[in-house]
């Protein structure tokens, strides 16, 4: 579905009447199991499904997806875990609305294409279903306000499912920040630096992606994600970078992002990939990609910190999210994603003014977050090096314990808003864009929740 068609369809009336839960999560299952519906079971949704099915305190009741191939893949995952097959809703793009009408579902996890997030998320809240929302950026700034307004009307909670916040080294650095090891924070960098060319062009034949097809001829994300690179130019995927930094810088919890500016390079990488793998005469070699190969976004916080995000997914490169955290007393810099020993660290006073980097391993092991220390064994085999276990665990346990989500609707609105604001800034040659205060002033007294519930 193209963007224009999607916007036309979203003008349709929402489903159901407004439902206001009587408690924080309106969780009332007599079985003590969180009953979940899956909206979209593509490759990302299947990772969530696999993680949920490992648990004894979760029952997956239903799943909705118009793609029969993905439904069948999801059903095989259910069989692997010897669990009861969920009810399937696969009768077109809007059959998920019938899933939302069920009265035996407490929560939904939404892993659909980006264009659908706002519609499905707000409809789920209006249907009284707790929401776990996958990452991306908003299509339009107005969507971010829609999330907030519907939440404030319904009080149905939503958790932002940003798994990088749970990466082991990130949580160790977060722990160091909260213990004052870096002194006063000044600056941070992060982003999405990941060669996605075999994702954006995937014919579904090669085992790890292949070919130069996208759109109707594409497989999985190539069906829809590549269209964003054709039609948009901005920080399309901000949450991997801004999420962990926002947690460290207390964004929406005593601090907030006030404005940003973005710039984009020229676009060459995707065209070159098509020519080299499909030939100069392939029809897709004539496509003009609007998305710049490298997008750089600078954000300013009310308390004076700056953050720089880099979106770099269209060129050859090793995977690296480019994190750096710098304060008055120390600096940590990622050199390769994946482990406690994959970074450099420097504390001037402790290192006798040597001006020499040290491997981060000893420090990050010393400050390993209590969640990881306690649950390392449970995270073995989980997606993205264990991050997905901790994220799904936080979602389920927060519902069961009736406690706040670590990242909520205000975090989602702020992080998602980076995308449309960056698009506007790039179109205006780097013009500064104001970030709305989606909390409407509540950020001043809101307390940090992430990382504080080490008991689960």
């Amino acid at each position: 579905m193209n963007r224009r068609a999607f916007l036309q369809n979203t003008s349709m009336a929402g489903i159901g009447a407004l439902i206001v839960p009587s408690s924080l999560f309106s969780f009332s299952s007599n079985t003590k199991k969180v009953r979940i519906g899956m909206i979209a079971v593509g490759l990302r949704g299947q990772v969530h499904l696999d993680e949920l099915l490992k648990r004894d305190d979760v029952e997956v009741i239903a799943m909705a997806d118009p793609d029969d191939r993905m439904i069948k893949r999801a059903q095989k995952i259910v069989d692997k875990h010897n669990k009861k097959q969920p009810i399937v809703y696969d009768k077109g793009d809007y059959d998920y609305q019938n899933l939302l009408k069920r009265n035996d579902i407490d929560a939904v996890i939404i892993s659909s294409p980006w264009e659908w997030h706002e519609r499905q998320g707000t409809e789920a809240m209006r249907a009284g279903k707790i929401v776990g929302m996958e990452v991306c950026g908003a299509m339009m700034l107005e969507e971010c306000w829609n999330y907030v307004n519907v939440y404030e009307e319904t009080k149905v909670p939503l958790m932002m499912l940003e798994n990088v916040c749970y990466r082991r080294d990130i949580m160790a650095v977060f722990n160091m920040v909260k213990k004052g090891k870096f002194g006063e924070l000044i600056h941070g960098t992060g982003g999405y630096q990941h060669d996605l060319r075999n994702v954006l062009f995937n014919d579904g034949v090669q085992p790890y992606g292949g070919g130069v097809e996208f759109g109707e001829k594409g497989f999985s994300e190539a069906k829809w994600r590549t269209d964003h690179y054709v039609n948009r130019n901005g920080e399309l995927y901000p949450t991997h970078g801004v999420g962990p930094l926002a947690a460290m810088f207390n964004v929406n919890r005593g601090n907030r992002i006030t404005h940003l500016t973005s710039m984009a390079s020229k676009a060459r990488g995707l065209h070159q990939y098509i020519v080299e793998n499909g030939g100069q005469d392939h029809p897709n070699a004539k496509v003009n990609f609007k998305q710049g190969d490298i997008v750089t976004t600078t954000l300013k916080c009310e308390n004076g910190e700056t953050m720089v995000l880099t979106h770099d997914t269209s060129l050859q490169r090793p995977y690296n999210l480019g994190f750096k955290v710098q304060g008055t007393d120390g600096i940590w810099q990622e050199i390769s994603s994946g482990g406690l020993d994959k970074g450099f660290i420097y504390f001037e006073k402790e290192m006798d003014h040597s001006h020499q980097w040290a491997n981060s391993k000893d420090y990050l092991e010393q400050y390993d977050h209590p969640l990881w220390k306690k649950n390392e064994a449970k995270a073995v085999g989980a997606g993205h090096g264990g991050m997905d276990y901790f994220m799904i665990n936080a979602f389920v346990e927060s519902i069961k314990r009736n406690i706040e989500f670590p990242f909520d609707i205000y975090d989602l609105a702020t992080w998602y808003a980076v995308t449309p604001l960056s698009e506007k800034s790039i179109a205006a040659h780097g013009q500064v864009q104001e970030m709305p205060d989606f909390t409407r002033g509540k950020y001043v007294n809101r307390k940090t929740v992430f990382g504080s519930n080490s008991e689960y």
Side-chain angles (χ1 to χ4, degrees), residues 159-434:
M159 177 172 164
M160 175 79 253
L161 299 179
E162 178 43 74
N163 64 351
V164 176
C165 294
Y166 292 92
R167 207 175 80 185
R168 191 167 196 168
D169 56 343
I170 295 291
M171 290 202 75
V173 172
F174 172 84
N175 197 26
M176 295 174 74
V177 166
K178 295 308 172 185
K179 292 181 180 299
K181 189 68 178 175
F182 290 93
E184 183 178 358
L185 288 191
I186 304 296
H187 180 70
T189 70
Y192 196 47
Q193 301 179 140
H194 186 186
D195 181 359
L196 292 181
R197 294 173 299 171
N198 68 335
V199 173
L200 298 171
F201 304 111
N202 187 343
D203 57 16
V205 176
Q206 306 291 335
Y208 300 105
V212 295
E213 300 295 350
F214 68 95
E216 292 184 1
K217 295 182 179 180
F219 171 71
S220 188
E221 291 180 58
K223 283 183 174 291
W224 55 269
R225 187 169 182 167
T226 319
D227 285 334
H228 291 272
Y229 289 70
V230 176
N231 298 310
R232 308 174 71 188
N233 190 14
E235 172 47 78
L236 297 182
Y237 209 67
T239 65
H240 278 352
V242 77
L245 296 176
M248 296 179 198
F249 290 14
N250 297 320
V251 170
N252 291 333
R253 291 165 173 82
N255 195 8
R256 77 178 190 90
I257 298 168
T258 57
H259 55 280
L260 64 77
T261 180
S262 294
M263 298 188 73
S265 75
K266 57 189 175 184
R268 294 291 184 271
L270 299 185
H271 171 76
Q272 179 175 314
Y273 183 86
I274 292 169
V275 170
E276 291 179 350
N277 292 276
Q280 186 70 49
D281 296 328
H282 193 282
N284 288 340
K286 299 178 177 61
V287 174
N288 292 317
F289 292 93
K290 188 176 179 181
Q291 174 71 16
D293 288 341
I294 309 291
V295 174
T296 306
T297 301
T298 301
L299 305 99
K300 185 66 180 289
C301 294
E302 183 176 79
N303 292 347
E305 307 92 341
T306 52
M307 295 183 275
V308 175
L309 306 180
T310 302
H311 184 274
D312 172 4
T313 63
S314 301
L315 298 167
Q316 50 77 37
R317 61 157 302 119
Y319 176 80
N320 184 290
L321 298 187
F323 280 107
K324 178 173 69 176
V325 176
Q326 192 166 9
T328 55
D329 294 345
I331 179 173
W332 168 76
Q333 185 166 310
E334 172 190 3
I335 56 174
S336 177
S337 300
L340 300 182
D341 61 341
K342 304 296 185 182
F344 289 137
I345 203 162
Y346 180 70
F347 296 105
E348 183 178 67
K349 294 175 183 177
E350 291 184 25
M351 298 177 182
D352 197 24
H353 301 264
S354 67
H355 293 278
Q356 297 293 318
W357 290 106
N359 187 284
S360 64
K361 185 174 186 292
D362 290 341
Y363 282 96
L364 298 191
E365 286 183 346
Q366 179 183 349
Y367 288 92
D368 196 14
H369 196 278
L371 279 173
W372 267 96
K373 287 182 178 180
K374 182 176 181 178
N375 297 303
E376 178 181 4
K378 295 179 181 178
V380 172
H384 295 90
M387 296 187 290
D388 289 343
Y389 163 78
F390 289 96
M391 182 181 68
I392 291 296
N393 191 57
F395 181 69
V396 173
E397 290 291 343
S398 295
I399 295 172
K400 288 166 53 183
R401 297 165 186 260
N402 199 36
I403 56 178
E404 291 182 67
F405 282 138
F407 302 110
D408 62 11
I409 198 77
Y410 301 111
D411 299 310
L412 177 142
T414 303
W415 303 354
Y416 269 26
V418 172
T419 297
L421 291 175
S422 72
E423 290 182 273
K424 189 174 180 180
S425 179
I426 290 167
H429 306 290
Q431 187 178 84
V432 172
Q433 304 296 315
E434 300 294 324

Side-chain angles (χ1 to χ4, degrees), residues 63-131:
M63 54 188 182
D65 199 303
D67 189 329
D68 182 65
R69 184 173 181 177
M70 293 303 179
I71 288 288
K72 286 183 168 58
R73 289 171 63 107
Q75 289 173 328
K76 288 181 179 179
I77 295 172
V78 177
D79 286 340
K80 180 186 74 172
H81 289 278
N82 295 314
K83 296 291 182 73
K84 180 181 178 181
Q85 283 292 340
I87 304 299
V88 170
Y89 294 89
D90 60 355
K91 303 298 188 292
D93 291 341
Y94 295 94
D95 204 15
Y96 73 89
Q97 294 178 336
N98 290 312
L99 180 151
L100 292 178
K101 292 176 182 177
R102 299 183 66 94
N103 59 11
D104 58 350
I105 289 177
D106 303 301
V108 294
I109 289 183
I110 298 174
S111 309
S112 52
W114 304 339
E115 300 95 313
W116 288 89
H117 284 198
E118 184 265 342
R119 180 189 181 103
Q120 293 172 338
T122 55
E123 288 184 356
M125 286 189 283
R126 289 188 182 278
K129 304 298 187 285
I130 304 160
V131 178

